[in-house]
Amino acid sequence: MKYLLKILVCACLALHFPLSTLHTQELPQGYFGSPLKGDLGLSATFAESRIGHFHSGLDIRTGGAVGLPVLAVADGYVSRVSVSPWGGGKILYIKHPNGYTSVYMHLSDYVGPIGRWVKEQQYKTQSYSIVEDVPEGLLPVRKGQMVALSGNTGGSAGPHLHFELRETGTGRTINPLLFGIPYRDSMKPAIRGLRIYPMVGNSIGRGYDVDKENTATVDGPFCLGIYATDAAEGSTPKNGPERIEVYLDDELFFMYSIESFVLENSRVINALVDYPVFEAQRQGYILTRALPGAEGDWIPVRQGDGIFRLAPRSRHKIQVRAYDIHDNVDERTITVNVSTSASTTQGHSATDGKAVRYSEVASLKHPAFSAELPPYCLYADDRLATTCRMDAGYLSPVCSIEPVINKIPPHIHYKISIKGAVPQGIDPAKVTVVRINGKRVNAYKTTCEGGYYSASVRDFGTFALLADTTAPTVRAVNFSEDKRLKSKTLRIKIGDNLAGVDTYNCYLNGKWVLAEYDGKSATLFIDTTGKLQGGKNDLRVEVVDGCGNLTRRTFTIIR
Ligand SMILES: [Zn+2]
């Protein structure tokens, strides 16, 4: 499949066929129905740019509501259930006999035998969070059967259904709209921004907008950044386009179209956009230039390395087209004038930091700080600048590690170690590595060895040590000791000052009871239906933070 896709991409390039036409012949058409009743409206399209990942499916609008029936898109069986306070929240996987698995996320609940089975597992493991593979034959489903209710669980920013179709064998996620699921879109995409990025040696300089007259003057090699969005009837107006094409003097120079990808590769999006702008403004300017560590079978198609190298004193036409799934297109043509001086490519002047190769291990050592990056942590050779300074506010020097050339977060985790200056009386188990980002401080799971505190991180930036000796907070929201209970669902706010909530357990009259934890609102929900005795009941709540600080609170519930 993987190679087939690549061959198809090449064939398309040669023949100038729209990609989707060829691919849809590969994928079963009309096999899968829609996971919700009514017309599909999307709040996010497939492979849309997100910080740290391509959007891995469709976000289907539910009109701001939770509790809409979610339907199995084809016959099959429930193959996996995953529940978490974060990420996809309550997730359902259905395996279909034709080699694909459908995935449904942010559900508010599972229904029927699926719901009963999930609760059983949660009570068996005494955990709200579960990841369980379901044996074949246990929970069969029919096409169109209601399997769950839509919701807003996990990292969802508002009620919607996140829906995916994955190749079962490889886990590769594929744009569900390529399977012919009906979707109305007669509105054309919008190219919202075009930027010229002059090359400074082998790195990109600061980008500037192509002017309103669609002309640009360059004096050396450059790459192009394209920011485009798509709208459709019933969809939000700034979804991602399906495909971007760039033509240089009528010849295809660059094509960006992600119809499927392996989830583990998703973070590479950071290297395909102007990352600092993406992070600050959430506008993903897709860059034509290539970085060697960001290649894969999802790569954009390019001429060479995607950098325009045009002869001095020449004039060229660059055409940019943004397509949606139904090949509605927005087009912008710019004229590029190359100035007389164009020819010199200055080398990168940076001498800061240590030169590192992206395909090799990089070790950086200071007396108080060290970092070890595995191969392919970076997307290209770079220089890493490290500094340490004393700061009385922390239990260590404050140390930073930053790439000098490509300001993109690392692709994979790497290890940092910081030497502690931890006063007597502070338990080393309560010391945690933190990243300082303006006023925000994030803690990492930390280990201690010989006075050095280590953590596995996936960011560059500024790091130091702090101690978390404060136990989590636990507060009743909708019930009190002296009043009769009004709601069947108890709500309890839990929180922690630094290391974050690690475990939470609730016991009703001495017995473990399921508490659903919503990470984004820091709230526990306990459904008491059929669980309360008349008069007084005892609810014990135990919350432990990432540094092992425990809060145990007992509430009296009056029925
Ligand atoms: Zn989504």
Side-chain angles (χ1 to χ4, degrees), residues 475-527:
R475 181 170 64 82
V477 176
N478 67 339
F479 60 96
S480 64
E481 312 258 306
D482 46 5
K483 283 199 195 101
R484 255 169 190 280
L485 196 59
K486 285 208 187 89
S487 166
K488 278 193 300 199
T489 303
L490 304 175
R491 294 211 308 270
I492 301 152
K493 274 253 187 215
I494 62 176
D496 188 61
N497 63 322
L498 183 61
V501 169
D502 187 26
T503 63
Y504 45 93
N505 281 292
C506 299
Y507 302 87
L508 194 56
N509 299 322
K511 275 198 346 223
W512 188 86
V513 64
L514 179 65
E516 304 205 345
Y517 180 37
D518 179 47
K520 60 185 172 295
S521 65
T523 308
L524 293 172
F525 296 87
I526 302 173
D527 180 4

Side-chain angles (χ1 to χ4, degrees), residues 257-280:
S257 169
I258 297 165
E259 304 196 316
S260 74
F261 61 90
V262 178
L263 295 166
E264 294 84 75
N265 292 334
S266 195
R267 194 168 166 90
V268 84
I269 181 62
N270 289 346
L272 301 180
V273 295
D274 175 353
Y275 186 81
V277 166
F278 191 31
E279 192 187 26

Side-chain angles (χ1 to χ4, degrees), residues 55 59 160 162:
H55 187 238
D59 281 352
H160 73 278
H162 174 104

Side-chain angles (χ1 to χ4, degrees), residues 44 50 55-59 105-106 160-163:
R50 299 280 170 88
H55 187 238
S56 55
L58 303 176
D59 281 352
M105 298 193 189
H106 307 304
H160 73 278
L161 174 69
H162 174 104
F163 174 68

Side-chain angles (χ1 to χ4, degrees), residues 4 66 69 74 76-77 90 112 145 169 176 211 326 357 392 399 454 461 470 482 494 556:
L4 194 60
V66 301
Y77 68 91
K90 293 184 185 176
Q145 180 186 328
D211 66 24
H326 294 323
R357 289 199 177 280
C399 302
S454 302
T470 309
D482 46 5
I494 62 176
T556 303

Side-chain angles (χ1 to χ4, degrees), residues 126-138:
Q126 298 210 335
S127 171
Y128 170 61
S129 297
I130 56 166
V131 180
E132 296 282 342
D133 289 325
V134 186
E136 185 169 354
L138 193 67

